[in-house]
Amino acid sequence: MERFYSTAGMPVVDIFRLLIEEQGKYELCALKCEAKKKQHHATLEAQGKVAGPIDVVIDFVHKYHGKIPLAVASSGWRDHVLTGLERVGILNLFDAIVTADEEDVEKGKPHPDIFLVAAQRLGVDPEYCVGFEDADFGMLALKSAGYLYSSDVRTLWNYPRNVERRQQQMDK
């Protein structure tokens, strides 16, 4: 589990490439592994087993919507990200949504590309942007992007990092 969390923030295909390399499983194809994982996600969603809202993020978005430009910069698949944002009722509150599977994002986190594209789509210079992240690789990417400030949401008092509780919900 620790190794899994150490890759958090990386695009799924990059995680598979890394693990294939580390384990010498060269007979595997990262793109096929990603497709299998995406299929598994679709199966879980069809069964109603979906990620719940992260209240601290939703509260922030509602508080600042219309006051400052807001973007999502996610390593998740675009369709999955859009579905999740719609499910929790905040999809229409963002001025830009950037995902790692877009052509404009050449390299995923920990590289800064995704955050630079988000700033560009907002029309804001990166040095005036504030980024919120829940993964170490994302924090590195924000720093490399030259954002004014990077907030690690995992340190916020009401961030739901209770993995066991989420797993119990998924097992229901």
Side-chain angles (χ1 to χ4, degrees):
M1 193 65 117
E2 186 176 317
R3 180 64 180 125
F4 171 78
Y5 281 115
S6 73
T7 63
M10 290 177 73
V12 171
V13 71
D14 291 345
I15 293 171
F16 281 118
R17 284 186 185 117
L18 176 70
L19 295 175
I20 288 168
E21 178 70 28
E22 284 179 359
Q23 297 175 23
K25 302 281 186 177
Y26 302 110
E27 70 278 6
L28 297 176
C29 170
L31 291 173
K32 287 183 181 178
C33 291
E34 180 188 39
K36 188 81 164 170
K37 182 169 176 53
K38 198 169 188 180
Q39 182 181 24
H40 178 68
H41 269 276
T43 300
L44 290 175
E45 288 198 353
Q47 296 171 354
K49 297 178 180 179
V50 296
I54 300 174
D55 294 332
V56 66
V57 173
I58 292 173
D59 292 346
F60 179 87
V61 171
H62 281 289
K63 183 174 182 175
Y64 290 102
H65 171 67
K67 297 175 184 167
I68 60 173
L70 298 172
V72 170
S74 175
S75 291
W77 302 299
R78 185 167 187 80
D79 60 332
H80 188 78
V81 170
L82 295 175
T83 299
L85 293 171
E86 184 174 39
R87 183 175 44 250
V88 298
I90 60 174
L91 174 62
N92 64 333
L93 303 181
F94 292 96
D95 302 292
I97 297 172
V98 183
T99 55
D101 56 357
E102 295 181 33
E103 284 185 22
D104 290 347
V105 180
E106 290 185 32
K107 294 181 179 177
K109 299 172 188 175
H111 302 281
D113 301 29
I114 197 164
F115 292 114
L116 294 173
V117 171
Q120 178 186 28
R121 290 186 186 172
L122 290 175
V124 178
D125 289 331
E127 64 262 21
Y128 298 112
C129 292
V130 174
F132 295 85
E133 251 302 329
D134 64 353
D136 292 341
F137 283 136
M139 293 299 292
L140 290 171
L142 282 168
K143 183 176 181 177
S144 296
Y147 273 37
L148 172 68
Y149 181 76
S150 304
S151 176
D152 188 337
V153 298
R154 297 169 296 183
T155 65
L156 300 176
W157 72 272
N158 57 346
Y159 182 75
R161 181 67 172 162
N162 187 335
V163 176
E164 294 79 14
R165 184 184 58 146
R166 286 186 182 177
Q167 185 60 49
Q168 286 173 351
Q169 291 174 341
M170 294 292 289
D171 292 339
K172 288 182 183 179

